[in-house]
Amino acid sequence: MTAAAAQVVIFGGTGDLSRRKLMPALAAIDQQEPGRIASVVGIGRRPKPDAAFRADITGDLAPDVRGAFTALAPRVFYRPADVADRSSLDTLERALAELPGGDVGRLYYLALEADLFEPAVRGLADAGLVAERGDAWRRVVVEKPFGHDLESARALNRMVEQYLRESQVYRIDHYLGKETVQNLLGFRFHNAIFEPLWNAHHIELVQMTVAETVGMGLGKGRGQFYDETGGLRDMVQNHMLQLVSLIAMEPPSSLDPEEIRSRKVDVLRALRCPDPDGMLAEGVRARYVAGEVDGKRVAGFRSEEGVAPESTTETYVALRAEIGTWRWGEVPFLLRHGKRLPKRFTEVVVHFRTPPLSLFDRPGDLDDIAYRRALRSGALCEMRPNVLRLRIQPSEGIELTFGVKAPGAAMRMVPATLDFDYRERFGTEPPEAYQRLLLDALHGDPTLFLRADEIEAAWRWVDAVRAGWERARVPVLEYPAGTWGPTEADQLFHGCEGSWSNG
Ligand SMILES: NC(=O)c1ccc[n+]([C@@H]2O[C@H](COP(=O)([O-])OP(=O)(O)OC[C@H]3O[C@@H](n4cnc5c(N)ncnc54)[C@H](OP(=O)(O)O)[C@@H]3O)[C@@H](O)[C@H]2O)c1
């Protein structure tokens, strides 16, 4: 066993997240860094022999991951414990110490329902499971949702601080494990050609979409959880605001984790809280009704299992946000997320400003003066020649659009695109987000995990949006499943700012 070997203990080891994401990720890490994982221990309340636990996991794995898991399987164990029952945790330390790597570093993963985070952290601490001795470090990965508003997130942070040092806490947002999300840092701060333009002088607007085709799915309790949460809290508060912070942050002075996280939190703190009086114009919320997605009839949100028939929860949200910093001034950040949309994709689109003098592509029937007047009044919207599209999923890549002269006698400019596609360039799929994040946690690198203040800053803004919605009585509109959401969201683009990109 190498000195860096560690034990990974998954509370919720029999759950959906563990089976679908964590076990395949651990099997891949075991191949990537042999000797890093001493053992993996799944924890749940029900008794289960190790062999049955291994067989359950193997049965769930995609055929291409089974091979990797075969090598790890003899080091995978199952131990029953109830995190809400202190006495069962008291005996856990001894049980874990007897398994391979019991005396080395240990990573606890809380793949549990959110209301078990508190008893789990408290229980682990009371039972001495998080006490560190020499090289025997103890770290705790906490899943989302981290709180449901600012107050609950603060309370959770204060509770966690009581029992753990911040350096032991790894609050996960799996979006940050995506290769293309990390590439936002590389793209911005390695290439000198974009950074000078990355500000309000040259960027007119940034839009971001996280579109899903799925509804509530068949996950146990998913409908009820979502009905209590909604799209703003489930997607915007975490994944989308993380994207915003990476797009908008100031250059860090180094890749030191605290430096990067401090620059990100600066952005979240600078998000302007919406003015409730302007809320009707700055935000749209809606829920899907029955419709058709991928050629199949699907039920409306209120008919999904676990969702209240009179639910007012949003499954679609579109917001016009602003970041009150010198760099961003009044550049709008348009954020859109929806379920049951026609296509699954996540992307960020940066619209650069049009050139100060419009020399090309004027309609033939307008003279110089009439053309300029039409541009000024907004009667004629110019096409933005330069658009940068950062594709996060499902096809990862970067596209830069610029104008080129079309062949012929006329000086007619048309769009052309430079396209970087991750798979084409590297001949491989990007690694799974959980693989990268679990490995970072094993290495003790918290860069891609959220700090307490980041979570709180994001909740502050999300709470302000929710309060604005309530005060302004912003209605929850309806959209048929399989459409791009309510047309009211198109009004979030003002004048000639453009329109939503549909991937
Ligand atoms: N599933 C995903 O794709 C996904 C994605 C992102 C985030 N998450 C988050 O990850 C967490 C887990 O989600 P999940 O979908 O995996 O849930 P799940 O399928 O319901 O699994 C819950 C797990 O927790 C265990 N458990 C429940 N009560 C326990 C207790 N008192 N003590 C010890 N173990 C207990 C269950 O085993 P027993 O019943 O045997 O105790 C089971 O293994 C949630 O916070 C969720 O929001 C999930």
Side-chain angles (χ1 to χ4, degrees):
M1 193 140 322
T2 69
Q7 199 174 56
V8 180
V9 180
I10 305 176
F11 287 93
T14 52
D16 178 68
L17 179 69
S18 169
R19 291 195 322 266
R20 280 195 313 114
K21 298 287 182 187
L22 305 183
M23 289 296 177
L26 289 167
I29 290 174
D30 196 47
Q31 284 203 315
Q32 192 182 342
E33 289 196 13
R36 171 68 61 183
I37 298 175
S39 59
V40 177
V41 190
I43 310 274
R45 287 163 304 178
R46 289 161 286 181
K48 195 184 265 272
D50 293 334
F53 183 54
R54 291 170 193 155
D56 287 352
I57 299 166
T58 311
D60 286 341
L61 292 177
D64 57 324
V65 191
R66 273 189 206 148
F69 188 71
T70 309
L72 180 66
R75 286 170 283 137
V76 174
F77 304 90
Y78 180 83
R79 293 292 175 270
D82 183 343
V83 294
D85 171 10
R86 171 63 207 276
S87 62
S88 77
L89 291 179
D90 280 342
T91 54
L92 192 59
E93 175 62 46
R94 198 160 352 109
L96 294 176
E98 285 167 1
L99 294 172
D103 54 351
V104 293
R106 193 181 291 158
L107 185 70
Y108 299 106
Y109 199 115
L110 303 187
L112 297 164
E113 287 306 316
D115 52 6
L116 287 173
F117 293 168
E118 182 169 347
V121 171
R122 206 185 292 280
L124 285 173
D126 287 348
L129 285 154
V130 290
E132 299 186 302
R133 275 171 235 97
D135 286 342
W137 50 260
R138 300 288 180 259
R139 298 179 191 133
V140 183
V141 180
V142 186
E143 256 300 339
K144 76 159 203 173
F146 198 86
H148 54 268
D149 57 13
L150 178 58
E151 199 186 328
S152 59
R154 266 192 189 139
L156 208 47
N157 277 331
R158 297 300 88 80
M159 185 281 298
V160 167
E161 272 167 22
Q162 253 184 289
Y163 298 103
L164 298 166
R165 285 178 292 111
E166 178 66 23
S167 61
Q168 290 181 284
V169 189
Y170 287 70
R171 299 173 195 81
I172 203 162
D173 182 327
H174 75 267
Y175 254 57
L176 290 179
K178 289 181 189 292
E179 204 63 40
T180 32
V181 172
Q182 289 156 45
N183 190 42
L184 294 175
L185 277 180
F187 178 79
R188 283 192 57 199
F189 303 127
H190 180 69
N191 299 301
I193 61 170
F194 293 105
E195 198 45 32
L197 308 179
W198 213 254
N199 54 53
H201 297 298
H202 301 284
I203 291 179
E204 183 175 12
L205 176 144
V206 178
Q207 62 164 297
M208 191 178 291
T209 296
V210 179
E212 297 183 326
T213 51
V214 294
M216 293 304 107
L218 299 173
K220 175 170 54 84
R222 181 69 187 151
Q224 186 186 340
F225 166 78
Y226 195 89
D227 194 16
E228 288 162 5
T229 308
L232 178 67
R233 293 194 278 193
D234 189 51
M235 187 62 77
V236 180
Q237 186 272 341
N238 36 63
H239 308 320
M240 294 191 78
L241 289 189
Q242 283 300 314
L243 287 177
V244 169
S245 64
L246 289 168
I247 291 286
M249 71 191 267
E250 292 302 316
S253 57
S254 72
L255 290 183
D256 174 73
E258 296 320 314
E259 172 66 13
I260 290 182
R261 299 197 291 182
S262 296
R263 297 294 73 77
K264 281 168 61 200
V265 82
D266 288 345
V267 173
L268 299 173
R269 287 203 182 113
L271 274 168
R272 287 211 178 104
C273 284
D275 165 13
D277 295 332
M279 224 29 229
L280 273 169
E282 288 180 14
V284 171
R285 55 176 171 167
R287 86 180 142 260
Y288 59 85
V289 296
E292 201 168 290
V293 179
D294 291 334
K296 285 195 204 99
R297 289 296 302 167
V298 296
F301 177 61
R302 285 173 163 182
S303 308
E304 298 267 22
E305 189 184 327
V307 176
E310 69 288 356
S311 169
T312 55
T313 301
E314 78 287 349
T315 61
Y316 174 100
V317 47
L319 295 163
R320 188 179 166 100
E322 276 181 14
I323 299 164
T325 61
W326 188 275
R327 181 187 285 265
W328 293 110
E330 296 188 341
V331 174
F333 279 67
L334 281 106
L335 314 181
R336 174 177 63 156
H337 161 62
K339 286 197 173 289
R340 288 287 190 222
L341 299 185
K343 185 171 162 188
R344 171 179 172 259
F345 75 97
T346 297
E347 67 170 26
V348 179
V349 185
V350 179
H351 299 218
F352 289 91
R353 293 191 186 281
T354 48
L357 183 63
S358 304
L359 295 172
F360 306 107
D361 292 352
R362 63 181 64 185
D365 56 343
L366 291 187
D367 67 18
D368 202 37
I369 293 171
Y371 180 49
R372 274 192 251 159
R373 195 180 295 136
L375 284 177
R376 262 203 311 276
S377 70
L380 193 66
C381 291
E382 292 165 281
M383 222 174 48
R384 252 153 240 83
N386 302 124
V387 174
L388 182 72
R389 187 183 303 275
L390 302 151
R391 300 193 310 257
I392 312 289
Q393 67 181 17
S395 70
E396 291 90 347
I398 301 176
E399 252 173 65
L400 178 65
T401 306
F402 53 99
V404 292
K405 182 190 167 301
M411 210 40 200
R412 195 169 63 84
M413 302 299 285
V414 293
T417 304
L418 284 176
D419 195 349
F420 152 71
D421 182 87
Y422 189 98
R423 283 175 191 78
E424 245 171 54
R425 168 65 181 81
F426 296 111
T428 171
E429 298 285 323
E432 274 289 319
Y434 280 96
Q435 180 183 338
R436 167 65 197 258
L437 293 173
L438 276 165
L439 192 58
D440 281 4
L442 286 167
H443 283 248
D445 181 349
T447 313
L448 301 177
F449 293 83
L450 309 185
R451 220 166 53 184
D453 52 352
E454 268 184 281
I455 301 245
E456 292 181 16
W459 276 122
R460 177 196 67 100
W461 186 75
V462 163
D463 280 3
V465 172
R466 286 176 54 225
W469 277 349
E470 296 318 313
R471 284 233 295 282
R473 295 176 200 272
V474 172
V476 182
L477 306 169
E478 294 188 335
Y479 62 101
T483 66
W484 285 110
T487 51
E488 283 80 349
D490 299 344
Q491 313 306 317
L492 298 180
F493 289 82
H494 298 169
C496 291
E497 283 174 351
S499 58
W500 291 110
S501 156
N502 289 336

